[in-house]
Amino acid sequence: MHVLEPGDPRRMGDFTLIGRLGAGGMGQVFLGRSAGGRAAAVKVVRAELAEDPEFRARFRQEVAALHRVGGEWTAPMLGADTEAAAPWVATEYVAGPSLQQVVESGYGPLPEATLHSLAGRLARALRAIHGAGLVHRDVKPSNILLTVDGPRVIDFGIARALDTVAGSLRTSTGVVLGSPGFMSPEQVRGERVTPAADVFSLGSVLVYAATGRLPFGSAELGLHALMFRIAEEEPDLTGVPPTLTALVTACLAKDPQRRPTTEQLAVLIRTDEDGPWLPAELLAELGRLAARMLTAETPPQGSPAPTRSKRRWRPVLAGVVALAAVATGTALTLLDDDGEKGPATGGPASRSASPSAEPGIPDEFVGAWEGVLDGNPELPKRVLRLEISPGGPGDKVAAYIDTGGDLQCTGRGKLVSTDADTLVVGKGQITAEVPQGRCTPLSQQTLTVRSQDVLVWESGGLTAEFHRSAGGRDAVPDQYVGVWVPANATYREKELIRITQGPVGGRLVRMSVEAAMDDGTEQYCDSTFVIGAVSPVLALSPAAYTAESGKGCRQPDAVSFTVGRDGHLLLFSMDADAEPGEYVRKS
């Protein structure tokens, strides 16, 4: 939320504008209030677009389409003027964070019961949108708001009426037609888009809500690679509850005609429409945020708010900045009582926007850390990676990947307490696991500073030394990246390991093996691995098969790689004492 600037409008139709929410491709978005006190997100079109007759025509169509959709599953339209010098449209300001905010910076992946409710309610929302003759084209977590009584689908800025003349306005205004991680194969290929594209996006959204990641990987490995995977490869559904796997798989069918319709989905997914649909702690936080928004005052009309009133209304609006951000998906900043800018953290569990927030985590702890819990640094049997992010007590600040034996368990823990030398994280919550159904959360963890780059870790009777590790999109050490084949020339054409650069937690390793069976046939096994740690070894999850011939493929245990002095890649099983496999770079 930003205060209004001198050149900003102070009124649009019946709406008094009280602050800036952000900017999008079409123009500026303001927080407004009607004469009756109803909060609204008021989108004012950019001047250069307003002068374009084709854009005006499309804007009229989309405003009319918003009328047809209604407000049960979307933010209802409260007013518009498509003929004004600066065209505008006002929709109800929805008191709720986006699904993206909840998963990434607040609550984390949603529990199974909530996922079923989300799937059913989103199916009904899309059914209403399609019934109005629209294809949304940009169904993604940041365009889905979570409220006490259900989700709301927002941002029809790139929606198109089904009867729009093909190609008439698709590129002339520069509007982006979709978000890469959630696009359908037909969108990627530039083919005709139908309501089935929204169903595919819904499948991707459900995977994200269940696991915190995208079914085809992130764009960090390259936009073209991501689009190829969407168009040609199968999704990674690791971590999706078995009760939803079949439904998600059907939504993510490459052929649009093989996907269920939103009408079929709405019938198939049974959900309790009367009871609570979100976890109790999240519902309570949403209620508090909505209450704060209702207390926001309107600044004096016709001029910026005077200095004497800043302390009255600006801190209250800061408390609901997480709600403001969802109207545009734009990165926002908070203004504290002294007018200084600070980062907007977002997420319903965030407490950093509160003037009375407790001290956060010292910088010494923030970052990625890795330690060996069993074995030794050269031959580990169990490796734990921790990623500590800023936050206050009660925030989910510690994400972890626990790799070893025949398991990989991913989870998050909330901050219990901290001081200059010690950090205490509560019992973890499992967010993903390979294989399914066998992980148990980590017990309370205590981290103590030993030096700038070393922490002592304790949990459940175990103690280990943790060292700083690489993070970000280029976390994999360059010495591992490439294509590797067996050092033994006899097997060189039968096995291949491909390691790609990317973030920890991604499926960045693929292994393909061909073997002769006793009956004379050839067995082919193609598998992928999730990277759980990058130092002192590259630790990988148990494999998940993406393709196989016959029934002879055995799921390997977790494995680790090291690179020897001769530059050879050594593969060790983390659940056995067998001799390592030795590989050389493919020439």
Side-chain angles (χ1 to χ4, degrees), residues 353-559:
S354 170
S356 60
E358 298 183 46
I361 293 176
D363 292 341
E364 288 82 358
F365 291 100
V366 175
W369 302 84
E370 292 181 359
V372 177
L373 306 188
D374 186 18
N376 58 67
E378 288 74 32
L379 188 58
K381 298 296 184 182
R382 183 181 176 190
V383 178
L384 181 68
R385 177 182 173 91
L386 278 172
E387 294 191 6
I388 308 296
S389 56
D395 290 342
K396 293 182 178 179
V397 298
Y400 68 84
I401 304 179
D402 188 355
T403 306
D406 59 353
L407 284 174
Q408 185 180 80
C409 306
T410 302
R412 292 189 182 187
K414 294 181 180 180
L415 177 64
V416 174
S417 64
T418 183
D419 57 32
D421 300 314
T422 305
L423 185 74
V424 179
V425 177
K427 182 179 179 180
Q429 175 192 28
I430 296 297
T431 58
E433 49 190 324
V434 182
Q436 282 283 99
R438 294 181 49 205
C439 287
T440 56
L442 283 178
S443 303
Q444 178 171 289
Q445 305 170 69
T446 301
L447 301 168
T448 306
V449 174
R450 174 171 290 177
S451 68
Q452 181 177 357
D453 295 319
V454 180
L455 298 177
V456 175
W457 174 92
E458 296 179 82
S459 178
L462 296 175
T463 301
E465 196 173 80
F466 275 47
H467 298 261
R468 283 199 178 274
S469 182
R473 65 179 64 187
D474 298 322
V476 178
D478 290 338
Q479 62 190 18
Y480 293 106
V481 176
V483 178
W484 302 82
V485 293
N488 188 327
T490 304
Y491 303 105
R492 196 156 293 172
E493 301 301 322
K494 299 293 185 180
E495 188 172 344
L496 180 146
I497 297 175
R498 185 186 304 274
I499 303 175
T500 55
Q501 182 57 268
V504 177
R507 288 190 175 275
L508 306 176
V509 180
R510 168 163 287 176
M511 180 183 296
S512 301
V513 179
E514 293 183 11
M517 307 300 288
D518 292 339
D519 60 2
T521 61
E522 290 286 323
Q523 173 67 47
Y524 172 74
C525 304
D526 185 62
S527 51
T528 59
F529 301 79
V530 174
I531 293 183
V534 295
S535 61
V537 298
L538 193 69
L540 309 180
S541 69
Y545 287 109
T546 56
E548 62 178 315
S549 62
K551 298 296 180 182
C553 292
R554 185 186 71 84
Q555 178 161 326
D557 298 324
V559 297

Side-chain angles (χ1 to χ4, degrees), residues 38 69-76 91-100 117-118 121-126 129 136 138-156 205 273 277-278 286 326-327:
R38 194 171 185 180
V69 173
E72 183 180 3
W73 300 105
T74 64
T91 57
E92 183 178 55
Y93 184 78
V94 179
S98 72
L99 176 61
Q100 179 179 345
S117 289
L118 179 69
R121 293 165 194 249
L122 288 179
R124 288 161 177 76
L126 292 176
I129 292 167
H136 190 286
D138 201 20
V139 178
K140 59 182 179 180
S142 62
N143 279 341
I144 297 168
L145 308 187
L146 305 186
T147 73
V148 172
D149 59 348
R152 296 291 184 271
V153 179
I154 64 165
D155 200 350
F156 289 79
V205 164
E273 296 289 348
W277 80 286
L278 290 173
L286 294 181
V326 298

